[in-house]
Amino acid sequence: MAKEKDSETHRIDDILRYVGEFGLWQKFLYFSSCFLVIVPSAIQIASLVFATGTPKFHCVTPNVTCEESKCCDNCTTYAFDKSFTSTVTEWNLICDKKNIAALVQSLFVAGMMAGSIFFGVISDFFGRRFCLFLCSALAPGVRFCGLFIIFYFPPLLCGCCYNRSVVGHYVYILELVGCSYRTLAGKVQDVFWVIGACITVMTAYLVRDWRQVLLIGSIPAGLFYLLWSVFPESLRWLVARSRLESAHAILMKYADKNSVTVDSETIMSMLEECKAASKRVASEVKRSPLNLVRTPRLRRRTVILCYNWLVLSMIFYGIMLYVPSLAGNMYLNIFLMFVSDLPHTPMAWIVFKRFGRRIPHCVFMMISGLSCLFVLLVPEDLKGLITALALIGRFFGSASFSNVYLYSSELYPTTIRNMALGTCSTFSRIGGMVVPFIIALAQLPGVSVTLPLVILGILTIIAALMSLWLPETLLSNMCETVQEIETSKENYGFIWMGKPRPPLISFPCNSAQDSNKANGENAHVLAENPDKSQKGRLSEEPEDQKETTPLTTAEDGSPESNI
């Protein structure tokens, strides 16, 4: 089955190589869709800070003194500073009402979880293109309604639409290009994410009212309809649905725009082969959620990875919601937080290629956690240093997310990989739903304002240490079945400049036999034949996995997603 699945994928990629993997027309579709989908989606998530964030406040009750942004037992009236308005300032959602504000923030993430299921079904049955346009239509309307009606339901629907727009677009652009450009396609779109987030910060700086920020942010999503007739349906979805004529027309247009001369009958013949292979795979693939915990190795990997995803999501959302409480200019802090996503992407990509997955992931998580814990050592008068530590923690936490998607994909066999990523992603949403309540603890009287950072730091360090019980996957072949996971050699060594090295200490989860083989014979083989091993590794590496943000939910693999 695995061999048929691989050959099926190669046939589709061969067609794209024949007509052009990333030609002129595909580039237009790619960059225009990124601008019209990713930028509005980034605006939507970034506006969450200004629409539901808590500005600094102080007690104005006579003869009562409280610390800034802290609740006091004897204080009955509080005043917010004039940095910005939000639902918190409008309905006074602080102190005894702080859980209401946290609930609104967590509902957005809950909507993302629900949207991955509901719109995932729509995407499989009605196509990627239809799903993208449906979400682009609903998101602005829901945000507009949120300006005038109760604020609980709109965040839930916004989360649904946001998640489906991002994930649906990610699937769409990966199915748009050939395998040689998948990593590029997945990485370049992150630039548009930063653009959208920075636009939101600048808009919020100029317009300090949360309703107007949401209203302005809902406009770009409607621009997607200007190119309704331009964007074609996903080629792979059309083949899986046996709509070969439509797929043939798209491929011929690719070739024409790319100035490539192709034979029409040859393309149709290749499409028919892909269709036949798709039906064989669909009839043979059998999945069960119990496979994730069926064997000892899979149980260990599932527990560790789910916890890591949960903590990484808490770092991402937690520090983003915590920024308004930090010292310094709030708008500058948020701007720097989003812009930092640009340099960490190439940095993480190089590090994970040169030094493997396991140790860099642990180191990045450890730096993130320690940065949050170091706030305990900072004197109260050095509030700017606390801000810097929080942003450093967020930077390395976000960089870890550029590894965890790929690392998780390599740790699971092909037969349950999509289901495993969907499970891990579910835990990340749970983390995003819980963290607003942790951030709200900073308002409690007698509690340090740095308590949320300390909690996040402790959880992150635990996740970093747990990740050491995962094997290294760089330069290792990906397993196809659950049985292969249990019989394959696990390497608990480390990678240095692309070459394997033996482990410095022995891990109890790694048997002596596996350790000797993985770091003795196997490491020797890898060192002797680096070119051959690397070639095999590159051919199997799941480069089409999202690697930058925690905002993307892995889709459980439908037959057409494996074409």
Side-chain angles (χ1 to χ4, degrees):
M1 178 188 71
K3 292 182 178 179
E4 289 180 355
K5 181 176 178 178
D6 288 341
S7 62
E8 172 199 350
T9 302
H10 290 159
R11 275 194 290 271
I12 285 288
D13 290 333
D14 284 340
I15 299 176
L16 289 174
R17 277 190 288 268
Y18 185 38
V19 302
E21 289 187 279
F22 196 37
L24 183 62
W25 184 243
Q26 288 138 295
K27 290 176 182 177
F28 169 77
L29 296 175
Y30 174 84
F31 287 106
S32 59
S33 65
C34 283
F35 181 79
L36 296 175
V37 176
I38 298 301
V39 171
S41 298
I43 292 175
Q44 184 171 330
I45 189 66
S47 63
L48 187 68
V49 179
F50 303 101
T52 65
T54 302
K56 296 177 182 178
F57 60 91
H58 59 277
C59 178
V60 293
T61 301
N63 301 323
V64 177
T65 302
C66 298
E67 296 181 37
E68 185 182 50
S69 299
K70 299 289 293 184
C71 301
C72 298
D73 295 333
N74 297 326
C75 184
T76 58
T77 308
Y78 297 89
F80 296 92
D81 66 11
K82 303 300 181 180
S83 57
F84 69 99
T85 64
S86 68
T87 55
V88 175
T89 62
E90 183 161 333
W91 290 300
N92 201 33
L93 302 181
I94 56 174
C95 298
D96 57 337
K97 297 181 180 179
K98 62 182 180 298
N99 289 333
I100 299 177
L103 178 61
V104 172
Q105 294 165 347
S106 64
L107 282 175
F108 182 88
V109 184
M112 294 172 63
M113 183 187 299
S116 64
I117 300 173
F118 175 73
F119 286 107
V121 175
I122 292 179
S123 178
D124 287 340
F125 279 94
F126 298 100
R128 323 296 194 209
R129 177 174 176 263
F130 175 81
C131 186
L132 281 176
F133 280 96
L134 179 61
C135 292
S136 297
L138 291 178
V142 171
R143 287 165 64 90
F144 186 78
C145 292
L147 303 177
F148 304 104
I149 63 177
I150 188 168
F151 202 66
Y152 287 114
F153 195 51
L156 186 68
L157 293 182
C158 278
C160 290
C161 298
Y162 162 79
N163 181 76
R164 194 61 248 166
S165 294
V166 174
V167 177
H169 177 263
Y170 186 71
V171 173
Y172 182 84
I173 60 174
L174 290 183
E175 295 179 346
L176 183 68
V177 303
C179 62
S180 301
Y181 292 90
R182 284 178 186 164
T183 300
L184 177 67
K187 289 293 183 181
V188 173
Q189 73 160 359
D190 296 325
V191 177
F192 292 88
W193 160 261
V194 176
I195 292 174
C198 291
I199 289 176
T200 304
V201 176
M202 290 185 289
T203 302
Y205 179 78
L206 297 174
V207 181
R208 303 299 178 95
D209 181 74
W210 70 274
R211 295 180 186 274
Q212 295 183 33
V213 171
L214 288 183
L215 182 61
I216 296 173
S218 65
I219 296 175
L223 299 177
F224 196 41
Y225 284 89
L226 298 177
L227 297 177
W228 166 266
S229 60
V230 174
F231 289 100
E233 182 53 82
S234 165
L235 173 66
R236 299 174 189 268
W237 185 86
L238 290 173
V239 173
R241 293 295 174 180
S242 302
R243 295 170 56 178
L244 300 187
E245 293 295 335
S246 299
H248 179 268
I250 293 173
L251 289 169
M252 293 302 295
K253 187 170 185 177
Y254 286 175
D256 179 61
K257 296 293 184 179
N258 298 337
S259 300
V260 177
T261 303
V262 297
D263 182 68
S264 177
E265 294 182 358
T266 301
I267 292 180
M268 181 58 73
S269 176
M270 297 173 75
L271 288 173
E272 290 175 351
E273 292 178 5
C274 292
K275 173 186 173 182
S278 175
K279 290 184 176 180
R280 288 196 300 271
V281 171
S283 63
E284 295 178 9
V285 171
K286 295 181 180 180
R287 302 179 179 88
S288 171
L290 293 179
N291 287 336
L292 297 177
V293 293
R294 190 178 300 278
T295 64
R297 286 187 180 179
L298 282 178
R299 279 195 295 271
R300 182 175 71 245
R301 296 181 184 186
T302 299
V303 170
I304 295 174
L305 287 174
C306 286
Y307 179 74
N308 270 258
W309 281 67
L310 181 143
V311 171
L312 285 169
S313 180
M314 295 177 72
I315 285 288
F316 179 87
Y317 285 107
I319 295 182
M320 184 179 72
L321 297 175
Y322 187 72
V323 166
S325 301
L326 296 174
N329 187 287
M330 182 195 68
Y331 297 95
L332 179 60
N333 292 339
I334 297 176
F335 182 82
L336 292 176
M337 180 185 67
F338 288 128
V339 169
S340 67
D341 287 336
L342 285 179
H344 85 59
T345 298
M347 178 201 72
W349 181 250
I350 294 173
V351 170
F352 295 139
K353 275 293 187 181
R354 293 289 186 178
F355 303 99
R357 325 295 195 201
R358 175 171 163 266
I359 299 300
H361 177 75
C362 176
V363 171
F364 283 4
M365 293 283 286
M366 188 67 69
I367 295 175
S368 178
L370 290 176
S371 298
C372 294
L373 284 181
F374 281 163
V375 299
L376 294 174
L377 305 177
V378 179
E380 293 184 1
D381 56 334
L382 296 179
K383 295 182 179 180
L385 184 55
I386 295 178
T387 300
L389 289 173
L391 295 180
I392 291 173
R394 199 265 184 187
F395 175 85
F396 283 97
S398 183
S400 294
F401 251 110
S402 64
N403 176 48
V404 74
Y405 279 86
L406 180 62
Y407 196 18
S408 302
S409 301
E410 295 170 342
L411 286 170
Y412 285 104
T414 301
T415 53
I416 61 172
R417 184 170 297 127
N418 284 325
M419 178 173 30
L421 289 177
T423 302
C424 291
S425 181
T426 299
F427 274 84
S428 76
R429 304 305 172 212
I430 294 175
M433 294 167 60
V434 171
V435 75
F437 297 94
I438 296 178
I439 301 300
L441 294 176
Q443 298 182 21
L444 295 176
V447 174
S448 173
V449 71
T450 60
L451 177 63
L453 287 181
V454 174
I455 294 176
L456 293 178
I458 294 174
L459 295 176
T460 305
I461 290 177
I462 294 174
L465 295 176
M466 290 177 64
S467 67
L468 291 175
W469 269 259
L470 295 173
E472 179 57 64
T473 56
L474 184 66
L475 303 178
S476 301
N477 293 328
M478 292 175 64
C479 296
E480 299 292 342
T481 64
V482 175
Q483 290 74 18
E484 286 185 43
I485 289 288
E486 293 302 309
T487 58
S488 62
K489 303 171 184 177
E490 288 188 321
N491 180 10
Y492 286 87
F494 63 96
I495 306 295
W496 181 259
M497 297 302 292
K499 296 182 180 180
R501 296 290 186 268
L504 299 178
I505 59 176
S506 177
F507 285 86
C509 58
N510 185 27
S511 66
Q513 182 179 6
D514 280 347
S515 180
N516 291 335
K517 289 182 179 180
N519 301 289
E521 300 173 7
N522 191 39
H524 176 72
V525 171
L526 291 173
E528 290 284 339
N529 305 284
D531 294 337
K532 181 178 180 181
S533 300
Q534 185 69 8
K535 181 178 180 181
R537 183 71 188 84
L538 290 174
S539 65
E540 298 182 355
E541 189 177 54
E543 294 185 336
D544 54 345
Q545 297 297 331
K546 178 69 175 173
E547 299 180 32
T548 52
T549 73
L551 304 176
T552 305
T553 304
E555 290 187 318
D556 197 357
S558 56
E560 57 265 28
S561 67
N562 296 321
I563 297 179

